[in-house]
Amino acid sequence: MIPMKTLNDGNQLPALGFGTYKLNGEDGIRSIVSALEAGYRLLDTALNYENEKEVGEAIRRSGIPREEIFVTTKLPGRHHGFDETLLSFEESRMNLGLDYVDLYLIHWPLPRIDKYVETFKAMITLREEGLARSVGVSNFTEEHLKRVIDEIGVTPAVNQIELHPRFPQGAMREFHARHDIVTESWSPLARGNEVRDEPVVTAIAEKHAVTPTQVVLRWHVQLGAIPIPKSSTPERQRENFDVFGFELSQDEIASVSSLESARLWGGDPETNEEF
Ligand code: NAP
């Protein structure tokens, strides 16, 4: 069984999840079903991935009871605003074909538009109505989080941020820990090959008789972050899920963190705008 983590609202979610970006159409449904068969119980989608219907269909096809699966989706930039958020949520919920969503996130803060505070107020309304069991944000900086907490008095349950050995996010993780916000890591494998090819990572993998990708995912778990790796391949899905049978030493965690260089593609939350 996969370990669970508890959110600041008391709800629980698995310590590792499955990313679904780019999993579209019939092939996408098949990949998501195989991830569920491999044991994943946390699915991460977004209105902007244009695959919420596929995620809903995969859940139904898997035959796994809906309440055993933790479903996350996200509000796009074009729908920031109180009323817009309520409507956008309904669109996502209809796409998914679900009565409720487990976690609803603001996809990007878009500080230039400056509507993320009222947007989060609408998220809280959705939570109060039981339509979104937990509410959180994605790509928020300390400043954005502080404004939400100060102006609304509610702390988002989750902040899903870019986090991988090239960008370990030490300061954000500390801030999250102080405020009881769970960190989720997007692009946990840094999307490409170069992290798992790093000699530091391959040496640790050899020592533990695991794969370099498993070392990277275990590093996330021991940092206390929830990685949501994506893979279209059943074998890789199983490999990525199997990271709870070994433990890295503090030195090994530090060596993986020493691979820090920069964000993958410049997704700076202060300036990146996705609508
Ligand atoms: P990722 O999970 O870091 O990497 C995915 C890539 O790694 C794919 O090309 C996959 O190829 C490959 N891969 C996976 N497991 C592998 C293995 N064991 N060995 C070799 N290659 C492997 O990147 P991501 O999809 O960008 O991020 C994961 C999820 O985070 C997304 O799907 C999405 O749900 C979320 N996300 C959120 C945001 C946000 O703004 N909130 C931004 C980006 C991503 P194959 O599929 O061919 O196996």
Side-chain angles (χ1 to χ4, degrees):
M1 274 293 281
I2 189 160
M4 301 293 280
K5 286 183 91 73
T6 303
L7 299 173
N8 62 23
D9 58 17
N11 291 330
Q12 290 200 313
L13 79 175
L16 179 145
F18 184 70
T20 69
Y21 180 50
K22 298 272 186 213
L23 297 177
N24 298 76
E26 185 55 33
D27 286 350
I29 296 172
R30 273 200 283 269
S31 289
I32 300 164
V33 170
S34 83
L36 290 167
E37 286 168 355
Y40 292 85
R41 290 294 179 270
L42 188 176
L43 299 178
D44 183 81
T45 181
L47 187 69
N48 271 355
Y49 299 170
E50 296 180 347
N51 68 355
E52 290 173 316
K53 287 189 176 141
E54 285 89 329
V55 169
E57 175 58 22
I59 292 170
R60 284 181 289 281
R61 236 185 249 184
S62 74
I64 297 164
R66 189 273 171 259
E67 61 276 11
E68 290 181 16
I69 302 172
F70 189 96
V71 182
T72 304
T73 193
K74 312 187 195 83
L75 174 95
R78 66 184 178 283
H79 294 159
H80 277 215
F82 192 93
D83 293 339
E84 293 86 344
T85 297
L86 302 183
L87 282 171
S88 187
F89 177 82
E90 203 46 28
E91 186 179 341
S92 286
R93 199 170 71 87
M94 289 300 122
N95 284 340
L96 288 158
L98 298 176
D99 292 338
Y100 66 90
V101 162
D102 294 275
L103 176 64
Y104 196 37
L105 305 176
I106 302 178
H107 207 148
W108 286 88
L110 304 179
R112 187 180 62 85
I113 311 292
D114 195 19
K115 284 189 178 173
Y116 61 83
V117 174
E118 65 172 281
T119 299
F120 198 70
K121 281 187 187 152
M123 310 281 254
I124 294 164
T125 300
L126 291 165
R127 190 186 66 184
E128 285 167 355
E129 289 172 353
L131 293 167
R133 295 271 163 98
S134 294
V135 291
V137 296
S138 178
N139 298 302
F140 273 41
T141 65
E142 253 186 67
E143 187 197 326
H144 307 143
L145 285 166
K146 273 189 195 144
R147 258 193 79 196
V148 166
I149 296 166
D150 291 350
E151 293 184 32
I152 311 183
V154 175
T155 304
V158 166
N159 189 16
Q160 183 182 115
I161 53 177
E162 176 175 358
L163 203 171
H164 44 73
R166 299 281 182 222
F167 203 64
Q169 294 266 26
M172 280 309 294
R173 284 188 287 106
E174 268 174 41
F175 182 86
H176 290 167
R178 280 202 304 281
H179 292 268
D180 199 11
I181 297 168
V182 164
T183 307
E184 281 189 344
S185 313
W186 63 252
S187 295
L189 306 174
R191 235 181 241 185
N193 282 306
E194 69 285 20
V195 169
R196 68 183 145 265
D197 291 344
E198 286 283 351
V200 162
V201 176
T202 53
I204 299 171
E206 228 166 274
K207 195 171 147 215
H208 290 272
V210 296
T211 68
T213 302
Q214 288 173 325
V215 169
V216 173
L217 292 170
R218 182 70 205 179
W219 170 84
H220 286 274
V221 169
Q222 288 188 229
L223 290 183
I226 300 180
I228 47 169
K230 170 261 175 188
S231 176
S232 50
T233 340
E235 304 78 55
R236 287 176 173 178
Q237 292 170 356
R238 285 194 291 274
E239 173 189 345
N240 298 351
F241 191 69
D242 184 16
V243 299
F244 296 96
F246 68 104
E247 193 151 359
L248 303 176
S249 68
Q250 286 309 311
D251 283 352
E252 288 169 334
I253 291 172
S255 341
V256 177
S257 301
S258 75
L259 296 171
E260 175 157 18
S261 55
R263 291 184 186 280
L264 284 181
W265 46 266
D268 181 348
E270 287 297 347
T271 48
N272 186 55
E273 297 196 339
E274 291 184 11
F275 291 94

